[in-house]
Amino acid sequence: MCGIAGCISKRQINRKKFDRMVDIVEHRGPDDRGVYFDGCVALGHRRLSIIDLSMDGHQPFVYGQDYIGVFNGEIYNYIELRELLIKEGVQFKSQTDTEVLIASYARWGEACVSRFNGMWAFLIYDKKKNIIFGSRDRFGVKPFYYTKQEGMLLIASEIKQLFEMLEQPPRANEECLLQYLIRGNRDYSEETMFRDVFQLVGGHNIIFDIQTASCKVKKYYDFEDVKETDIGYKGACGNFRDKFINAVGLRLRSDVPLGCSLSGGLDSSAIVCAADGIYEHDREKMHTVSSCFDDARYDEREYIEEVIKQTHVESHNVFPQEQDLFQELDKMIWHMDEPFGSTTCFAAWNVNRCVKDHGIKVLLSGQGSDEQLAGYTPFYVVKFTALLAQGKYKEFWSEWKKYKETRACTELHVSMGDVFKSSIASLVVSDRKRWLIKSIFYAIPKNRIPYSGKQIRRALKNEPFCPVKDPRGYIAAHMKGELQTLLHNEDRQTMAFSVEERLPFLDYELVEAIYAMPFDYKLRDGVTKAVLRDGLDGILPDKIKNRYSKLGYVTPEDQWINHNYEKYRQELEQAAQTLSKILDADKVIQWFDSRKGNIRRGDFIIWRIICAGHWARIFHVSFD
């Protein structure tokens, strides 16, 4: 929605530099800007107007005599909170959720965040306590970065803002960079790929005492505290339906045009169909935007058209082209702040450009469903391992046959053998030992991966831990790991085009309801997301509800590389040279040549190296 900036300094703040820190993210808020200076404190804001388009929403927002705030995000239940505060005697001068947020802090202090249903990253200068209070939403939808360098605490929505205030050039965090290059992990902790730059993890607050220059980070929320509750499968389906429709309804609150990203999968289709039912055709027709390809292996128009036929939404299709990829790449990476894992981001980039071109300022998306509802293939390993461990061999065989009938035939790069072997290995080997075996597995085969054994062990040592024998823990690991990378991508890709993205599946009440359900309600009878499919019966078209294949916003990345070998070889060689302090360029090229014409879908290592090379050059990253 917006961009925020904060600086607390021991010395006089350079106002010109701070202005640049604010304005470098103009794309996050092209509608208005503001700054506030008070001695050692500076706050800045770029506004994308979504709720109350008047100047009453100007930020930094001054509330009474004691509070000044900057806010990025939306408090979806601001209407209900506003009514509650009015009953308690609070008076309002605007219709903004920003005023509700700061009034809530003035009334309830740090505990205010537990009352919010939304996505946020905000700073409040509390003059009474002489502190800066900051917070990030429960699941980390909105970004919040900070660093303590050169006598300053700097806080920003995007990493690039921080370097506008610092004298020292960016330096690489080699541990995080290796994690990304070798395993594709990013945003799995408070660290970033830039040394001494951190992100406030979702569900945490930060309090900076201006007098003592001390900083405390406190966790205020963890969905893992929710206990498992079994209300029966039918009851769970009804509960899911109610929570989901409410989550979509809250995210339709807007004073500007809305649209939906529609891939043709279960999640985005569910949102479009639910929104259509809530609108009841009383409001302006919604738009959908989809990424399509002429190659049927990567195209989902068959399912997209099914949703359009039922809802009669106004649909728009984009067709990403490989020849445009490298023309857009540096711009994409600049917006991303860090290298990204595959060209799927290019598909989303094209979707968001189309969204902006059609005047849509708010976009609903299905991100966050797969991690909660066992939507990925590895969740079958969790299911099968649990059944084998419990000695439920008959049920295992039944689930295995149903998996074979439904999902297995749709997998493009995961064989049934891989799933079966992983299930057996997970049963007989402890989760911790699996990481050691994996390091050996990666290091031994010749030409399998262009990294040294030492680098591989270094990366795997710090890899986020996924407990295969614990279904709830496995879900939590995905929510706190892989999902964070996706949220990073989603925020930057939409904000690059001044579009706000909203994620109904990350409504905290819905998340808690799903997490409380037994795992069997999510992956059941060989079918993923069972409680979604059955809970939305009558809302989803049958063709979508009974769809078992899965693509998402994929691209023909493997074909692009295979058909443009020399082009990608040149890019790879240049990237390896740029990263020569951590990569052996000759080894990388030898490895790539050994795979000429045989790149498979899911071979993302090539792209990660190329992308990291561009990143290091764009941000002038040093490797000292």
Side-chain angles (χ1 to χ4, degrees):
M1 170 188 171
C2 300
I4 64 173
C7 175
I8 301 93
S9 178
K10 293 180 179 179
R11 59 180 185 270
Q12 185 176 3
I13 295 172
N14 186 315
R15 294 195 176 200
K16 287 185 178 180
K17 284 189 174 184
F18 189 74
D19 279 338
R20 291 202 300 269
M21 181 183 180
V22 173
D23 292 334
I24 197 173
V25 289
E26 180 182 2
H27 52 277
R28 297 189 73 93
D31 298 330
D32 189 21
R33 62 98 67 190
V35 292
Y36 171 89
F37 293 96
D38 183 7
C40 62
V41 175
L43 297 177
H45 188 261
R46 295 291 322 199
R47 185 186 183 200
L48 179 66
S49 302
I50 303 293
I51 300 293
D52 189 344
L53 308 186
S54 74
M55 286 305 294
D56 287 343
H58 176 78
Q59 298 185 45
F61 194 98
V62 179
Y63 183 83
Q65 301 295 317
D66 300 312
Y67 308 103
I68 299 93
V70 289
F71 165 45
N72 170 29
E74 299 285 354
I75 305 301
Y76 300 121
N77 64 333
Y78 77 99
I79 294 175
E80 292 78 6
L81 286 173
R82 190 174 190 273
E83 291 173 352
L84 176 60
L85 288 164
I86 288 173
K87 288 179 181 179
E88 296 191 8
V90 178
Q91 295 182 341
F92 289 88
K93 65 179 183 181
S94 76
Q95 299 298 316
T96 66
D97 57 342
T98 303
E99 186 175 13
V100 171
L101 183 151
I102 302 178
S104 297
Y105 173 78
R107 190 72 173 179
W108 298 306
E110 296 176 24
C112 67
V113 294
S114 65
R115 297 175 181 261
F116 298 154
N117 186 337
M119 55 181 185
W120 65 82
F122 67 79
L123 298 173
I124 295 176
Y125 177 23
D126 184 337
K127 290 187 172 183
K128 275 186 178 180
K129 297 181 179 178
N130 200 27
I131 63 169
I132 298 291
F133 175 69
S135 182
R136 191 178 186 193
D137 63 76
R138 293 174 179 85
F139 307 110
V141 177
K142 291 285 102 179
F144 189 118
Y145 294 101
Y146 67 97
T147 187
K148 288 186 73 175
Q149 296 186 56
E150 302 175 14
M152 296 179 289
L153 171 68
L154 300 172
I155 300 171
S157 293
E158 296 185 8
I159 296 173
K160 65 180 70 68
Q161 292 175 263
L162 305 174
F163 300 127
E164 293 299 316
M165 293 292 293
L166 297 172
E167 296 293 335
Q168 186 170 328
R171 295 173 296 164
N173 181 338
E174 293 187 17
E175 292 288 343
C176 286
L177 187 56
L178 278 174
Q179 270 283 333
Y180 158 79
L181 287 170
I182 297 176
R183 299 293 297 149
N185 295 321
R186 197 191 65 193
D187 295 288
Y188 57 89
S189 73
E190 70 279 2
E191 293 195 44
T192 71
M193 291 191 206
F194 293 95
R195 196 185 310 175
D196 299 323
V197 173
F198 304 93
Q199 60 177 325
L200 185 66
V201 175
H204 285 70
N205 296 329
I206 187 169
I207 302 97
F208 186 82
D209 188 303
I210 297 172
Q211 182 66 35
T212 63
S214 59
C215 190
K216 291 183 180 178
V217 175
K218 298 180 181 179
K219 181 167 71 173
Y220 68 85
Y221 179 82
D222 192 337
F223 68 91
E224 287 192 82
D225 294 335
V226 175
K227 304 297 182 185
E228 183 173 310
T229 306
D230 190 352
I231 59 175
Y233 184 65
K234 186 176 180 179
C237 289
N239 193 28
F240 176 88
R241 184 189 186 105
D242 292 343
K243 298 288 188 185
F244 176 71
I245 291 176
N246 182 66
V248 173
L250 282 176
R251 284 154 184 79
L252 294 177
R253 290 177 171 176
S254 171
D255 293 330
V256 295
L258 297 98
C260 291
S261 172
L262 177 61
S263 71
L266 275 171
D267 310 325
S268 60
S269 299
I271 293 171
V272 175
C273 293
D276 182 65
I278 294 168
Y279 274 161
E280 295 180 341
H281 309 289
D282 290 336
R283 293 183 60 181
E284 182 181 341
K285 187 182 295 183
M286 287 192 67
H287 293 247
T288 63
V289 184
S290 307
S291 175
C292 307
F293 293 94
D294 293 326
D295 189 330
R297 292 173 296 175
Y298 306 91
D299 190 69
E300 299 192 88
R301 274 174 287 176
E302 174 187 355
Y303 301 100
I304 291 167
E305 289 167 3
E306 196 73 19
V307 175
I308 294 167
K309 183 170 66 175
Q310 175 171 303
T311 60
H312 305 289
V313 296
E314 186 169 342
S315 64
H316 311 278
N317 295 336
V318 297
F319 291 81
Q321 301 296 316
E322 192 278 338
Q323 60 263 32
D324 299 328
L325 173 60
F326 286 100
Q327 292 181 18
E328 297 283 335
L329 181 56
D330 284 0
K331 185 176 180 180
M332 290 174 65
I333 294 172
W334 185 86
H335 279 283
M336 289 286 197
D337 281 331
E338 296 178 302
F340 50 92
S342 76
T343 56
T344 57
C345 288
F346 181 57
W349 182 264
N350 281 268
V351 164
N352 288 305
R353 177 188 285 112
C354 181
V355 168
K356 182 176 183 179
D357 289 345
H358 286 89
I360 301 166
K361 292 187 75 171
V362 173
L363 187 73
L364 274 66
S365 168
Q367 201 64 264
S369 172
D370 285 313
E371 293 76 15
Q372 302 179 68
L373 290 164
Y376 298 127
T377 301
F379 280 100
Y380 284 101
V381 175
V382 177
K383 176 82 170 182
F384 297 148
T385 301
L387 292 175
L388 290 171
Q390 295 165 21
K392 297 180 179 180
Y393 305 118
K394 185 176 180 180
E395 189 175 343
F396 165 80
W397 183 244
S398 175
E399 286 284 347
W400 179 259
K401 288 193 294 184
K402 289 172 181 174
Y403 167 68
K404 183 178 180 180
E405 293 167 3
T406 57
R407 184 70 176 268
C409 63
T410 70
E411 298 292 357
L412 298 182
H413 63 283
V414 180
S415 70
M416 287 192 68
D418 289 338
V419 174
F420 185 78
K421 285 186 289 186
S422 294
S423 301
I424 297 299
S426 299
L427 177 67
V428 299
V429 180
S430 71
D431 287 326
R432 290 291 180 186
K433 286 183 179 178
R434 285 176 65 245
W435 298 126
L436 176 60
I437 293 172
K438 187 183 290 187
S439 67
I440 297 173
F441 173 74
Y442 271 102
I444 288 178
K446 188 177 181 180
N447 291 328
R448 180 177 178 84
I449 190 168
Y451 300 102
S452 68
K454 182 178 179 180
Q455 287 176 318
I456 293 166
R457 287 189 295 273
R458 186 178 172 189
L460 290 173
K461 180 181 178 181
N462 298 312
E463 184 169 32
F465 182 58
C466 292
V468 177
K469 295 178 182 178
D470 174 13
R472 279 166 61 85
Y474 196 80
I475 288 172
H478 275 72
M479 290 283 286
K480 295 178 179 181
E482 183 174 354
L483 177 61
Q484 300 307 308
T485 299
L486 298 175
L487 293 179
H488 179 135
N489 295 345
E490 296 276 325
D491 174 80
R492 304 311 189 280
Q493 289 161 176
T494 51
M495 289 272 69
F497 296 97
S498 304
V499 173
E500 174 181 294
E501 184 177 50
R502 297 178 175 180
L503 308 175
F505 282 102
L506 291 182
D507 181 286
Y508 83 96
E509 293 184 354
L510 177 61
V511 171
E512 291 179 0
I514 294 173
Y515 195 66
M517 297 175 189
F519 186 71
D520 288 346
Y521 292 179
K522 301 161 190 175
L523 206 168
R524 182 182 185 89
D525 295 330
V527 175
T528 61
K529 305 181 184 178
V531 72
L532 182 156
R533 297 173 193 268
D534 293 332
L536 299 183
D537 185 37
I539 294 178
L540 278 169
D542 287 342
K543 186 168 184 175
I544 302 296
K545 175 189 170 185
N546 299 319
R547 180 188 180 184
Y548 305 122
S549 60
K550 182 175 180 59
L551 285 179
Y553 276 155
V554 299
T555 61
E557 182 174 311
D558 52 334
Q559 301 302 313
W560 288 353
I561 298 175
N562 286 329
H563 296 159
N564 298 277
Y565 167 75
E566 289 297 337
K567 178 179 181 179
Y568 281 84
R569 189 183 192 278
Q570 183 179 356
E571 283 283 345
L572 192 64
E573 185 172 23
Q574 185 178 12
Q577 291 291 347
T578 300
L579 305 171
S580 60
K581 289 197 174 180
I582 58 173
L583 286 183
D584 184 328
D586 291 337
K587 186 176 181 180
V588 168
I589 294 303
Q590 290 172 10
W591 168 81
F592 180 67
D593 287 343
S594 72
R595 303 166 70 83
K596 182 178 181 180
N598 193 35
I599 303 301
R600 300 177 301 169
R601 183 184 171 198
D603 285 346
F604 297 132
I605 294 173
I606 296 164
W607 178 258
R608 292 200 292 262
I609 295 174
I610 291 173
C611 198
H614 278 259
W615 165 77
R617 292 193 295 272
I618 290 166
F619 289 102
H620 307 288
V621 180
S622 66
F623 292 83
D624 52 14

